[in-house]
Amino acid sequence: MEAKRILIVEDEKSISDIVKFNLSKEGFRVDTAYDGQEGLDKALDGDFDLVLLDVMLPSIDGFEICRKLRERNAVPIIMLTAKEEEVDKVLGLELGADDYITKPFGLRELIARIKANIRRTALTDAGSAAASSNTRDFGNLTIDMDRYEVRKDGRPLELTLREFELLKYLAEREDKVFSREQLLEDVWGYEYYGDIRTVDVTVRRLREKLEDDSGDPKFIMTKRGVGYYFRRP
Ligand code: CA
């Protein structure tokens, strides 16, 4: 199998070096950028399987890079945030990052997160390549469960992998209500260091893309005091 390519955008050379060393040892091909503009240019030009993105960077910060990348493609992004910057996690996810990890982090945890995020992409690619499709219609919404494609009124929607997986999970279990904790466990799929706001943020982003009026949703419904469910409109 061809080596997966990872871009590390991190201005602290000591961190970048040790992460690069350990990822290379795991068989990844690693490229680095030490500055925001360089990181953005490389991420847009290169064909990476994942981008590891620090928040505080010279010239362009990680949030801006994340936002710009998301306008162009759906490469998995893991943001590196400082421990005291709780708000950063939520902002990063709102801008379309797939995951975040707080500094200081353990290398084993980081590598596990990277592998989990790349595995999800690999599943997506396998889905896209499958000859048969598994399409389901929910009113004017069409979800191709295998190809990871969503159309509304025939128009394709640009969802991140995580947004798609949450939608797929709920749509396959129509009308069943799930708690945020359960969604974290089932959709995020590995031990997520327990911030249930992650679910709320992803639901909000999904509604903005899916619903005519995200304040009055017709697909992704809130069950007050419990959690979320998918409803056929
Ligand atoms: Ca930094």
Side-chain angles (χ1 to χ4, degrees), residues 89-90 93 97-100 113 116-117 120 162-163 165-167 169-170 173 177-203 226-229:
K89 300 176 185 176
V90 175
L93 293 167
D98 295 276
D99 208 347
Y100 56 80
R113 295 281 187 93
N117 277 280
R120 271 198 293 278
R162 195 85 77 170
E163 290 160 5
E165 289 190 334
L166 178 62
L167 174 64
Y169 184 88
L170 291 171
R173 296 158 183 83
V177 181
F178 294 93
S179 69
R180 292 162 175 82
E181 289 81 0
Q182 192 167 1
L183 291 171
L184 257 190
E185 205 174 307
D186 291 351
V187 176
W188 274 254
Y190 52 98
E191 198 184 342
Y192 207 79
Y193 289 75
D195 193 336
I196 55 170
R197 284 179 304 172
T198 303
V199 177
D200 298 324
V201 167
T202 308
V203 165
V226 186
Y228 298 106
Y229 64 101

Side-chain angles (χ1 to χ4, degrees), residues 204-229:
R204 186 157 77 240
R205 289 174 50 85
L206 198 47
R207 280 176 174 160
E208 280 164 8
K209 295 177 181 183
L210 217 61
E211 308 280 359
D212 292 332
D213 173 3
S214 59
D216 179 24
K218 300 282 184 268
F219 295 104
I220 311 272
M221 311 303 291
T222 303
K223 180 79 176 174
R224 198 169 289 280
V226 186
Y228 298 106
Y229 64 101

Side-chain angles (χ1 to χ4, degrees), residues 12 50 53 64 71 121-122 133 150 170 173 187 205 217 229:
E12 283 165 73
L50 186 138
L53 185 58
E64 187 62 15
E71 288 171 0
T121 318
S133 75
V150 182
L170 291 171
R173 296 158 183 83
V187 176
R205 289 174 50 85
Y229 64 101

Side-chain angles (χ1 to χ4, degrees), residues 114-174:
I114 287 173
K115 285 182 174 170
N117 277 280
I118 288 181
R119 195 154 47 235
R120 271 198 293 278
T121 318
L123 289 173
T124 314
D125 292 346
S128 304
S132 66
S133 75
N134 176 15
T135 301
R136 294 185 54 191
D137 292 317
F138 304 92
N140 59 347
L141 192 73
T142 305
I143 306 177
D144 189 326
M145 301 291 183
D146 292 338
R147 290 170 194 271
Y148 282 67
E149 286 171 4
V150 182
R151 287 172 182 273
K152 189 179 170 192
D153 299 318
R155 208 169 39 82
L157 300 181
E158 287 287 327
L159 303 186
T160 66
L161 200 50
R162 195 85 77 170
E163 290 160 5
F164 181 87
E165 289 190 334
L166 178 62
L167 174 64
K168 177 177 193 261
Y169 184 88
L170 291 171
E172 282 177 335
R173 296 158 183 83
E174 237 177 290

